[in-house]
């Protein structure tokens, strides 16, 4: 008791500081029920006070961001709030935990960003049919997203010589009044294989043209689209399996996975091959001998 008293005195906290119930016992009581009860007490009182001051109805809330330094129960603190206040089923619920004392500011920034962006959401048309709304400028929007993606990941994968040349190009652009021809770094010098999300033929063509990729480099994308269709985020892994099934992967090769999705979002991952797959993946085992096949785009080019 003397040691605890001396520690508290030296900590700088005052006599009126409230300590968690768990540390008021000797030895401390740290059960899950005790911690959850404390969290509910603090959080619910804060939300009750907020709703009373603002007059906001819980049913009008469409974003919920909760942060806690360490406590990360299941169900989450966000789910606990949803159940307590009967919030909407389609609410955007994010819980930050395990980030220590910095999570408060991060959660404020996250809430701000969530309020600024428009959801990638499903809507009903005039006939009441639920679906995604895709605008006519999707290719232009996608190109901008890809440009930002390449700019971010380029320094991580491009050879130093290419990076240096690109930096010199940016300096020339700055002082040339637009007289310098546009330069795009050649990512083919850094990556041997490409797994690009097959969102559709127009987008595939756009990416191929932007990166200057050959038909063989785009083959995993087009053949996966032909065989399995667009299976959302899992599709790029089928493309990786295609490359391996064709025996094209070598130790030390690099694979660039490029995910493209609604929003518009573009995400990348570059992998180094530690060792090639020893056998053909089950997805391609029974049909890999039939590929590649001519797709409609390729057949059209052949005729012309």
């Amino acid at each position: 008791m003397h040691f605890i008293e001396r520690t508290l005195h030296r900590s700088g906290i005052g006599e009126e500081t409230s300590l968690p119930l768990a540390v008021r016992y000797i030895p401390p009581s740290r059960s899950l029920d005790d911690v959850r009860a404390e969290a509910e007490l603090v959080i619910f009182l804060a939300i009750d006070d907020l709703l009373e001051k603002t007059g906001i109805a819980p049913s009008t809330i469409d974003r919920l961001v909760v942060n806690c330094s360490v406590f990360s129960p299941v169900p989450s603190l966000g789910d606990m709030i949803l159940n307590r206040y009967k919030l909407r089923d389609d609410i955007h619920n994010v819980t930050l935990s395990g980030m220590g004392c910095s999570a408060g500011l991060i959660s404020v920034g996250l809430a701000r960003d969530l309020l600024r962006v428009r959801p990638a959401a499903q809507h009903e048309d005039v006939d009441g049919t639920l679906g995604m709304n895709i605008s006519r400028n999707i290719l232009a929007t996608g190109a901008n997203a890809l440009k930002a993606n390449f700019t971010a990941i380029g320094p991580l994968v491009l050879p130093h010589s290419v990076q240096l040349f690109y930096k010199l190009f940016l300096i020339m652009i700055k002082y040339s009044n637009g007289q310098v021809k546009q330069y795009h770094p050649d990512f083919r010098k850094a990556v041997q294989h490409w797994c690009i999300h097959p969102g559709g033929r127009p987008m595939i063509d756009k990416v191929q043209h932007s990166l200057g990729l050959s038909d063989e480099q785009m083959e995993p994308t087009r053949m996966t689209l032909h065989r399995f269709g667009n299976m959302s985020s899992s599709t790029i892994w089928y493309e990786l399996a295609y490359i391996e099934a064709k025996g094209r992967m070598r130790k030390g090769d690099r694979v660039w996975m490029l995910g493209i999705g609604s929003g518009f979002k573009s995400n990348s991952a570059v992998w180094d091959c530690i060792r090639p797959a020893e056998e053909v993946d089950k997805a391609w085992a029974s049909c890999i001998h039939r590929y590649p096949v001519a797709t409609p785009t390729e057949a059209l080019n052949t005729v012309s």
Side-chain angles (χ1 to χ4, degrees), residues 95-108:
T95 299
L96 303 177
S97 185
M99 303 180 67
C101 302
S102 67
L105 293 178
I106 294 176
S107 63
V108 172

Side-chain angles (χ1 to χ4, degrees), residues 135-147 203 263-265:
S135 64
R136 294 179 180 271
N137 63 346
I138 184 172
L139 290 181
T141 304
N144 292 333
L146 292 174
K147 180 179 179 181
M203 183 58 68
F264 193 95
K265 296 181 291 292

Side-chain angles (χ1 to χ4, degrees), residues 7 15 47 114:
T7 301
E15 296 292 336
I47 294 179
L114 290 176

Side-chain angles (χ1 to χ4, degrees), residues 1-2 4-5 21-29:
M1 289 293 296
H2 177 69
I4 295 176
E5 181 180 4
L21 291 175
V23 300
R24 299 185 187 181
Y25 298 94
I26 300 178
S29 175

Side-chain angles (χ1 to χ4, degrees), residues 178-193:
Q179 300 300 316
V180 177
K181 185 179 180 181
Q182 183 66 34
Y183 166 74
H184 299 284
D186 190 355
F187 289 98
R188 295 173 299 178
K189 296 182 178 180
V191 179
Q192 289 73 43
H193 309 285

Side-chain angles (χ1 to χ4, degrees), residues 1 17-18 21 51 53 69 76 88 134 142 149 154 178-179 188 195 218 275 292 303:
M1 289 293 296
T17 299
S18 177
L21 291 175
L51 296 178
K53 288 182 178 179
S69 296
S76 68
R88 300 203 314 262
I134 301 178
N149 192 314
Q179 300 300 316
R188 295 173 299 178
C195 298
M218 294 299 297
R275 67 175 182 272
V303 173

